[in-house]
Amino acid sequence: MKSWMVYWEDDCSRLIKEPIEIGSFRYKISPMAAWQPIIADEDKTVERGKLEIVKIKKIALPENTMVSNLKLLRNELGVLITLCRFGKPFLVEEKKEFNKAVFLPIHDGDIRKGDLLGVLKVYFVEIDGRKPTEKIPEGERRANLVYFRDGKVIREEVEIKNYKYIQTFVYEYVPIIAATELEVKKGSIYTIDVEEIKIPSNTILDSLYIMRNALGDVLDVKLREGFRKVEDPKTISKAIFVAVRDGRIEEGDLLGVASIHHVALKRFAPELLKKEVKAKIVYTDNGNIYRETINIAPYGHEGTPNGKWELLIADENKTVKRGEFTLIKVEDITLDPKTVVSPLFVMRHGLGAVMDVYGTGKPKRIEDPQKITYVLFFPIFDGVIKRGEMIGVLKIHSVEVKTSEKLVETLKKLASTLSLNMDKVVEHPDWPFLWR
């Protein structure tokens, strides 16, 4: 079967539509990964709710790498949406360079050259037996942390390294639950108080993708304490939420689920939350909104380095407007039980980026089979998505779902291996593929 890749001419003068073959592609992720800062390279005045394409200091990535956004708001003016470039999208197998990012402000203000916009997670992957041959360049950059204090914007200059770490493939799920009530309007962005979530040290945050609330999606979360290092414990107190329908958020509603990934830095000291909670799932059925209270026991998963990509293909024609989140029908993707997914972070369609995926009806457990029928799409240009066009790529991994107690056992087994000196690890001749 054929689909269509849609991208801008290098000078952004016109959209090009190129036929591609539809298929699944398999890969293997290394346990070694890295972070790279995303730093503004221009001054720009921003307005709440209006996207900006911001010039950034060039990010160069070796072949056989893919990236995602390190969650937890890194600039309190707004949310990093995606990296973008004009021209044909890079393949994972190719060397890549980016000099632009899409930023969605949640406050009015000014981005200044040198401001930290976000942090990129860089994964090394093996494809068809081909392993990455290069490493992330060493080095430090100076950047401004941007946050509010007593209603004023503060810029604090810091040194940020291209940092290396080891992934454990062990994740703990934490529900993001509304701690307030408010009316929401389709397309609007809200900063919502949530029940506080204490995040252990030596963890990074991601989303458990597939939208968990029919009214909208969590784009990012914010810490009570402001900025904290990965090595430090921290507390989530707010969620940045985009509404896809008009409605009312109630106290106790499940807004989304955070996925806490245990990693090894200079030392590895695993901690788990082990907290059982109640929440209300919010879903649609025949156009009506329903709520159902459920108990959520502490659990998570242990993954494997093996995954595959599936193309997200539009199954309808849809007019999109710059900066207006929209749900787009896609060709069904049926997921096996015990499967987790995430959209590829870099935009794959000239008109915008896939932020999340969605299946209608009551949210399913990871243990159950489920079907992806829609994507949450963020347009950065006006235009029309045509049926048959590729609008994104979905990463799919099979996992073993585990209780909190089983996760603790797994992490203890890993602890001695992961208490390694990172500088020694990356000198290993098999880096980044230390484990077979």
Side-chain angles (χ1 to χ4, degrees):
M1 291 182 63
K2 288 190 179 294
S3 177
W4 301 92
M5 178 188 296
V6 180
Y7 58 92
W8 287 101
E9 188 78 76
D10 288 345
D11 61 1
C12 206
S13 59
R14 68 186 181 98
L15 283 171
I16 296 172
K17 193 168 181 176
E18 179 179 314
I20 58 172
E21 290 290 335
I22 297 176
S24 296
F25 307 88
R26 297 190 177 275
Y27 61 90
K28 178 180 179 180
I29 298 180
S30 165
M32 287 299 304
W35 296 313
Q36 279 198 288
I38 302 171
I39 301 172
D41 201 30
E42 66 174 334
D43 296 339
K44 182 161 280 194
T45 298
V46 298
E47 185 178 337
R48 182 181 184 274
K50 293 189 176 181
L51 79 87
E52 291 290 346
I53 299 176
V54 182
K55 182 180 177 184
I56 59 174
K57 295 185 184 296
K58 185 176 76 173
I59 293 175
L61 299 173
E63 59 215 8
N64 282 33
T65 53
M66 61 183 182
V67 298
S68 64
N69 181 25
L70 188 63
K71 295 290 185 180
L72 290 178
L73 213 59
R74 302 288 159 175
N75 183 312
E76 292 196 355
L77 282 177
V79 179
L80 178 71
I81 295 293
T82 187
L83 296 181
C84 67
R85 71 181 294 269
F86 300 122
K88 188 173 182 177
F90 292 114
L91 297 176
V92 171
E93 301 94 308
E94 298 174 330
K95 292 183 178 180
K96 300 165 274 291
E97 289 187 355
F98 298 96
N99 62 2
K100 293 182 178 64
V102 178
F103 188 80
L104 181 60
I106 58 174
H107 298 281
D108 297 340
D110 293 289
I111 292 173
R112 293 183 184 170
K113 187 174 182 177
D115 285 356
L116 181 69
L117 300 180
V119 176
L120 206 59
K121 293 183 290 187
V122 183
Y123 304 109
F124 301 90
V125 297
E126 177 182 326
I127 305 169
D128 294 331
R130 299 191 305 273
K131 300 175 183 178
T133 57
E134 300 182 42
K135 303 175 184 178
I136 296 297
E138 298 287 343
E140 297 181 357
R141 292 187 177 186
R142 300 198 72 80
N144 302 320
L145 301 180
V146 182
Y147 54 94
F148 286 90
R149 182 186 294 160
D150 299 327
K152 295 182 179 179
V153 174
I154 304 296
R155 282 180 168 81
E156 179 184 343
E157 189 178 43
V158 296
E159 284 189 354
I160 300 179
K161 296 181 180 180
N162 290 342
Y163 211 89
K164 300 173 287 290
Y165 67 98
I166 296 179
Q167 306 182 82
T168 66
F169 301 115
V170 176
Y171 296 78
E172 184 179 8
Y173 306 144
V174 181
I176 302 171
I177 301 171
T180 188
E181 299 192 1
L182 75 159
E183 298 288 335
V184 296
K185 185 176 181 180
K186 180 181 177 180
S188 295
I189 310 294
Y190 300 89
T191 301
I192 300 177
D193 291 334
V194 298
E195 294 181 7
E196 289 193 343
I197 304 169
K198 295 189 182 298
I199 304 298
S201 57
N202 289 329
T203 58
I204 58 178
L205 202 67
D206 207 339
S207 297
L208 186 61
Y209 288 92
I210 304 179
M211 288 172 56
R212 307 286 162 174
N213 188 305
L215 294 178
D217 201 22
V218 174
L219 298 179
D220 211 336
V221 292
K222 186 176 176 182
L223 297 180
R224 184 190 65 196
E225 305 93 343
F227 292 95
R228 286 291 184 271
K229 294 181 179 179
V230 172
E231 303 94 301
D232 300 330
K234 47 194 89 63
T235 308
I236 294 172
S237 61
K238 297 180 184 296
I240 313 303
F241 186 84
V242 57
V244 298
R245 295 180 174 86
D246 295 345
R248 182 173 180 79
I249 298 292
E250 295 183 1
E251 186 174 353
D253 282 356
L254 181 68
L255 301 178
V257 179
S259 180
I260 299 173
H261 183 193
H262 293 263
V263 301
L265 301 169
K266 294 297 182 184
R267 66 180 183 86
F268 185 61
E271 305 170 59
L272 270 79
L273 301 183
K274 303 180 185 177
K275 182 181 179 183
E276 183 167 344
V277 297
K278 285 187 176 182
K280 292 178 285 187
I281 55 173
V282 183
Y283 62 97
T284 60
D285 190 6
N286 293 323
N288 298 314
I289 296 287
Y290 295 93
R291 283 178 167 81
E292 180 180 324
T293 300
I294 60 172
N295 292 317
I296 304 176
Y299 75 116
H301 78 250
E302 181 180 3
T304 73
N306 301 307
K308 67 176 181 177
W309 297 297
E310 291 279 359
L311 303 185
L312 292 163
I313 308 298
D315 200 30
E316 65 174 336
N317 297 330
K318 187 92 172 202
T319 299
V320 297
K321 292 191 66 176
R322 173 187 169 98
E324 294 185 5
F325 286 90
T326 186
L327 292 173
I328 299 178
K329 180 79 171 66
V330 292
E331 294 181 4
D332 290 351
I333 295 178
T334 300
L335 302 177
D336 294 331
K338 300 180 182 179
T339 300
V340 295
V341 303
S342 60
L344 207 59
F345 179 63
V346 178
M347 57 185 285
R348 292 284 157 174
H349 192 286
L351 294 181
V354 171
M355 304 303 298
D356 206 343
V357 292
Y358 180 57
T360 55
K362 188 183 297 188
K364 302 287 195 304
R365 302 183 310 161
I366 290 173
E367 299 93 319
D368 300 328
Q370 51 189 314
K371 187 178 292 184
I372 302 300
T373 52
Y374 288 87
V375 300
L376 178 61
F377 190 79
F378 186 63
I380 63 173
F381 296 100
D382 296 342
V384 179
I385 302 288
K386 299 288 185 66
R387 179 182 279 109
E389 292 178 353
M390 178 184 73
I391 54 178
V393 178
L394 195 65
K395 297 180 291 183
I396 302 175
H397 283 258
S398 296
V399 301
E400 183 180 352
V401 177
K402 293 190 171 186
T403 63
S404 181
E405 290 76 15
K406 292 292 185 182
L407 289 176
V408 170
E409 290 178 14
T410 300
L411 289 171
K412 284 181 178 178
K413 290 177 183 177
L414 290 171
S416 59
T417 305
L418 296 178
S419 298
L420 300 172
N421 183 306
M422 292 298 103
D423 295 328
K424 297 290 185 184
V425 168
V426 296
E427 292 172 3
H428 194 284
D430 279 339
W431 187 94
F433 285 85
L434 293 176
W435 301 334
R436 303 297 178 180

